[in-house]
Amino acid sequence: MNPPEHPKLNRVVPPAETSPPNIHTLSSPPQTTSTMTDPFEVRMRFTNQLRGLNASVTSAQKAAQFALKHKDLAEDLHSCILEQLERNGMNTRANIMYFIEHFLDLAQRADGSGHADYIRMMQRDIIRVVDAVAPEDGSGAANIKLTRKVLQTLQAKNFLEAQVVLQIEEVLKDRVVSAQKLAAAANGGGDGQERRPPQPLKLDRKQIEQRIEEDRERHKRLRENIWAVPSKEYGELEKMWEETSDLGEDDFRAMAEERREWDREFEVEESACPHRSAAGGATNGSSTLDGHDLGVSRV
């Protein structure tokens, strides 16, 4: 049996009156919240991180991770690296040069195709980077040694080709010779003609102490990496096996020389042994001198 219908439930509800549409609402696009960071702000933050680099790995990794996070601005951030290399002092250039090594290493390990752009752009502008870190005017002569180390590391990690590194090495050799000539001219040496010495690079005491401390920190970290042993079961054995060269003719020649040296030492020890018969018929029981028995017995 169906329940009786209630009169209020069957009442038709008239449609609600709608206000006329606003012309401003129809013409304006929907408001969305933008999650993209301001490119200018990203450049400024990355520039400050490059200026604040030091010998610690933490500062280099922090700046590298920031650049990898904003890979959509890879061109702008790469230009920031070049600008800071060309505008800052010798110590900052050295820190950025070491930063490039960590940066490319992290970019290769990171997932995503956008990170490879950093490696490609650095390979393209590596000569410009070297010119900024160790310029030909002699102002960056102290950075030539570290530039060679970083280039060799990048070559070992297949970031740079061997031919490119060899060409840059030849340029660096010429700059070392040029720096030595400039130093000799500044000291008044040469062909006797009066020369105008170049203006030396002025560094205050704080910059010199900072460079010494940073170099000490890098050398300490380098020694730690040298003695580091892989955590695998036979990691130390595999490391020694890889570092050991193949057996060649030089190795056989060295072994033969060591054998002859050992034979000579053995013969000398045999002849000097008191238990052996000496020349002239001396025995272990008595000693003779010019054929006369001294009557001295050896214990």
Side-chain angles (χ1 to χ4, degrees):
M1 182 176 181
N2 296 330
E5 297 180 356
H6 199 280
K8 293 184 179 181
L9 296 178
N10 295 331
R11 187 176 58 183
V12 179
V13 179
E17 295 182 359
T18 58
S19 59
N22 190 354
I23 187 171
H24 299 287
T25 306
L26 296 177
S27 60
S28 60
Q31 299 294 330
T32 58
T33 304
S34 177
T35 58
M36 182 179 297
T37 310
D38 184 13
F40 180 76
E41 181 183 356
V42 174
R43 284 181 60 93
M44 292 301 299
R45 292 181 59 183
F46 188 61
T47 299
N48 294 332
Q49 290 180 355
L50 292 177
R51 292 175 180 174
L53 288 173
N54 50 41
S56 65
V57 182
T58 305
S59 62
Q61 290 181 349
K62 182 179 179 181
Q65 291 173 358
F66 181 83
L68 295 178
K69 179 181 178 181
H70 300 280
K71 62 180 181 180
D72 53 333
L73 301 175
E75 287 283 351
D76 293 337
L77 299 183
H78 178 75
S79 64
C80 287
I81 297 176
L82 300 179
E83 291 175 1
Q84 295 306 311
L85 282 173
E86 296 172 351
R87 295 180 180 179
N88 285 280
M90 183 180 62
N91 291 344
T92 305
R93 296 175 187 175
N95 293 329
I96 295 178
M97 191 65 185
Y98 279 110
F99 159 76
I100 291 175
E101 176 185 346
H102 295 281
F103 181 38
L104 297 184
D105 197 8
L106 291 178
Q108 187 181 38
R109 297 178 185 177
D111 297 332
S113 59
H115 299 146
D117 294 338
Y118 288 112
I119 301 176
R120 177 183 54 81
M121 289 184 292
M122 192 58 63
Q123 292 173 345
R124 179 193 64 193
D125 298 331
I126 189 62
I127 297 179
R128 183 178 175 183
V129 171
V130 174
D131 289 337
V133 177
E136 59 182 355
D137 58 356
S139 60
N143 290 338
I144 294 180
K145 185 176 180 180
L146 68 90
T147 303
R148 288 173 172 171
K149 290 182 179 179
V150 174
L151 291 176
Q152 292 173 0
T153 304
L154 295 179
Q155 179 186 353
K157 296 181 179 180
N158 297 325
F159 290 122
L160 297 177
E161 297 181 357
Q163 183 179 2
V164 175
V165 176
L166 183 60
Q167 294 176 356
I168 298 176
E169 180 67 24
E170 294 296 331
V171 175
L172 293 178
K173 289 181 180 179
D174 295 338
R175 293 183 181 180
V176 170
V177 175
S178 178
Q180 294 175 352
K181 291 181 179 180
L182 291 176
N187 294 330
D191 52 2
Q193 298 180 358
E194 184 179 358
R195 298 181 180 180
R196 184 178 181 181
Q199 295 294 331
L201 181 63
K202 296 182 179 180
L203 295 176
D204 56 10
R205 184 179 182 85
K206 183 178 180 181
Q207 290 178 333
I208 296 175
E209 293 177 352
Q210 178 185 359
R211 182 59 179 269
I212 294 174
E213 185 65 26
E214 290 177 350
D215 289 343
R216 185 183 296 112
E217 181 68 22
R218 294 190 186 99
H219 292 163
K220 182 175 67 175
R221 190 169 64 249
L222 179 61
R223 289 194 298 269
E224 293 176 355
N225 296 334
I226 291 175
W227 290 102
V229 178
S231 58
K232 297 185 295 183
E233 182 178 1
Y234 299 101
E236 186 174 2
L237 176 62
E238 293 178 358
K239 181 180 179 182
M240 294 178 62
W241 181 265
E242 293 176 357
E243 294 177 353
T244 304
S245 60
D246 297 335
L247 192 64
E249 296 181 358
D250 296 337
D251 298 317
F252 288 109
R253 189 180 300 109
M255 287 189 291
E257 293 177 356
E258 291 180 0
R259 175 69 184 188
R260 288 192 294 268
E261 183 68 22
W262 184 85
D263 291 339
R264 286 194 295 267
E265 293 179 357
F266 182 76
E267 292 176 358
V268 172
E269 292 179 358
E270 283 286 318
S271 61
C273 182
H275 301 286
R276 297 290 181 180
S277 299
T283 61
N284 192 23
S286 61
S287 298
T288 58
L289 182 61
D290 296 335
H292 300 283
D293 190 1
L294 299 179
V296 179
S297 299
R298 296 185 179 180
V299 180

